[in-house]
Amino acid sequence: MSNKENNLTPAMQQYYELKEQNRDSILFFRMWDFYEMFDDDAIIANKALWIAVTSRNKNAAKSTPLAGIPYHAKEKYLPMLIESWYKVAIAEQVSDPNLKWIVKREVVRVITPSTLWLEWENYDNNNSSIISITHNKKYWLSIINISENKWMTSEFESFEELQSEIIKLNPNEVVLEKSLFNNIEIKETLEKKYSLNIYFFSDKSDSYKNLITHFWTKNLEAYWIQNLLEAQKASSLLLKYLENSQKTKLSFLDKISLYNTSNYLSLDESTIKNLDLVFNIATKSSKNWTLFWLLNDTKTIWGSRLMYNSILNPLKDTSSIKDRQDFIEEFISNKILLDKIRDELWAVSNIDWILNRIALNRTSPRDLINLKNSLKSILNIIEIINQSDSKKLKKIINK
């Protein structure tokens, strides 16, 4: 059905206008206590969500397929669509439904793999990284992990070199500029080899101006990308893509870093796979029978991510290695101190995660309770260390 056909109700006119603006997404159209989907979206929902398809205007010459889910069941169905490689645009009622005229609806955000976790506090997702890639003689990558407030950029001499970094970063979503999106070989490699959701996004605005405006600064000297035009392009592309999907400014992303992979021991893709560091080929699992699985007895999401990244990025600097060993030795030699701190760590949630949900106005009472309990536990940990005999740990927490 087209929005140009006659006899459309005002609500359906709204639907087709919003669908035209979000053609690459499944549109969740809020109607009272349901999210409704029509036409091809309804057929997709039937196959991906196993929900019934009925029809609207049954007596018309051509009826409109219709499928819907209860508003409160979004938590159940959203992951199913996202994991089936679909984007979902959420169209909410933004005016008073008790008024006489038609309720106004707007797409308030678009859900993708890297932003799904923002929908509710108890969604279990250990990866919310998204990357953008641009190319001009060299490949430039920009990566944002919203749940950790990390934003980084780096260059790579070849696509093969870039691939080795992608397997370490383990993103679930990639944004490509037009020239790369039209490159079938690169696109198929990212999609089939790394199971990445690939999106094209175009932004013709001034990258440099976008970034200095975002950071509220006169230049980018402090971030070491002042003269790196391609780094600016990749980073601005990623920022604008996320702002466009989330329909808001991401002010909590207040810094970007230029990272140098030469600080770590280089591990190529075959080494990572053959040694079963974070993925076991035999079990086809990243959780079972890997080095990460064996070592990961951490109590927090932060600790788990640190363990994962440390395995894939072994330190090269002797001084840094010794500092890490000394830190570990402090706990190994004091089992009582270790047990006390581990007991407190059970209550520590992902604070960055919660603060970002607050910044995006998507928080819940449970978020605030978890934040309170996390801060209390952190204060308790500081007090435990200050009362201990460990001078090294005291020095670290009092920096």
Side-chain angles (χ1 to χ4, degrees), residues 149-260:
N149 278 0
K150 286 186 177 180
W151 188 3
M152 302 179 293
T153 183
S154 188
E155 69 172 349
F156 300 88
E157 294 290 339
S158 65
F159 186 63
E160 288 70 27
E161 185 182 336
L162 173 61
Q163 288 184 70
S164 295
E165 192 63 23
I166 288 176
I167 195 171
K168 294 179 184 179
L169 295 171
N170 190 32
N172 51 20
E173 189 173 345
V174 58
V175 180
L176 299 178
E177 62 175 346
K178 187 174 183 179
S179 62
L180 292 178
F181 192 80
N182 291 333
N183 188 313
I184 303 300
E185 182 180 355
I186 288 179
K187 190 176 176 182
E188 287 189 350
T189 298
L190 294 171
E191 187 175 76
K192 295 180 180 179
K193 189 173 183 179
Y194 301 103
S195 300
L196 285 169
N197 295 67
I198 302 174
Y199 303 119
F200 161 69
F201 185 71
S202 177
D203 179 39
K204 297 181 180 180
S205 59
D206 188 302
S207 299
Y208 183 81
K209 186 176 181 180
N210 289 340
L211 293 175
I212 63 173
T213 300
H214 175 80
F215 292 124
W216 289 79
T217 185
K218 292 183 178 180
N219 56 57
L220 300 173
E221 293 282 2
Y223 308 109
W224 301 92
I225 60 172
Q226 174 68 18
N227 300 316
L228 301 177
L229 301 183
E230 206 64 24
Q232 297 168 18
K233 181 181 176 182
S235 300
S236 177
L237 183 72
L238 188 54
L239 174 67
K240 287 300 178 182
Y241 170 80
L242 281 171
E243 287 183 342
N244 183 69
S245 68
Q246 298 306 295
K247 312 299 180 185
T248 186
K249 297 294 183 181
L250 305 178
S251 57
F252 52 83
L253 292 171
D254 56 1
K255 60 180 177 294
I256 186 171
S257 61
L258 182 66
Y259 74 99
N260 188 349

Side-chain angles (χ1 to χ4, degrees), residues 297-300 327-328 330-332 334-348 374 376-390 392-394 396-397:
D297 192 27
T298 58
K299 301 300 180 185
T300 66
F327 177 79
I328 295 171
E330 286 295 301
F331 288 106
I332 292 177
N334 193 334
K335 184 72 164 52
I336 295 176
L337 176 63
L338 175 62
D339 288 342
K340 286 182 179 179
I341 292 179
R342 286 171 67 87
D343 286 343
E344 291 292 341
L345 286 173
W346 277 108
V348 179
S374 297
K376 285 175 63 177
S377 290
I378 290 173
L379 290 175
N380 290 340
I381 290 171
I382 293 173
E383 183 63 23
I384 290 170
I385 292 175
N386 280 329
Q387 290 179 0
S388 73
D389 296 327
S390 175
K392 290 182 180 180
L393 294 180
K394 288 180 183 179
I396 291 174
I397 66 170

Side-chain angles (χ1 to χ4, degrees), residues 22 46 66 75 98 111 128 136 155 158 170 188 217 256 260 264 273 334 356 375 391:
N22 298 272
N46 168 254
L66 162 66
E75 181 172 333
N98 295 317
I111 312 302
S128 56
N136 185 6
E155 69 172 349
S158 65
N170 190 32
E188 287 189 350
T217 185
I256 186 171
N260 188 349
Y264 306 100
K273 289 185 176 180
N334 193 334
N356 290 348
L375 295 176
K391 294 181 180 179

Side-chain angles (χ1 to χ4, degrees), residues 311-355:
I311 290 173
L312 292 177
N313 298 283
L315 295 172
K316 289 173 63 175
D317 179 61
T318 305
S319 178
S320 298
I321 295 173
K322 189 176 184 304
D323 287 342
R324 178 178 289 177
Q325 290 174 336
D326 289 343
F327 177 79
I328 295 171
E329 178 62 27
E330 286 295 301
F331 288 106
I332 292 177
S333 61
N334 193 334
K335 184 72 164 52
I336 295 176
L337 176 63
L338 175 62
D339 288 342
K340 286 182 179 179
I341 292 179
R342 286 171 67 87
D343 286 343
E344 291 292 341
L345 286 173
W346 277 108
V348 179
S349 302
N350 189 330
I351 294 177
D352 285 333
W353 186 321
I354 297 172
L355 293 179

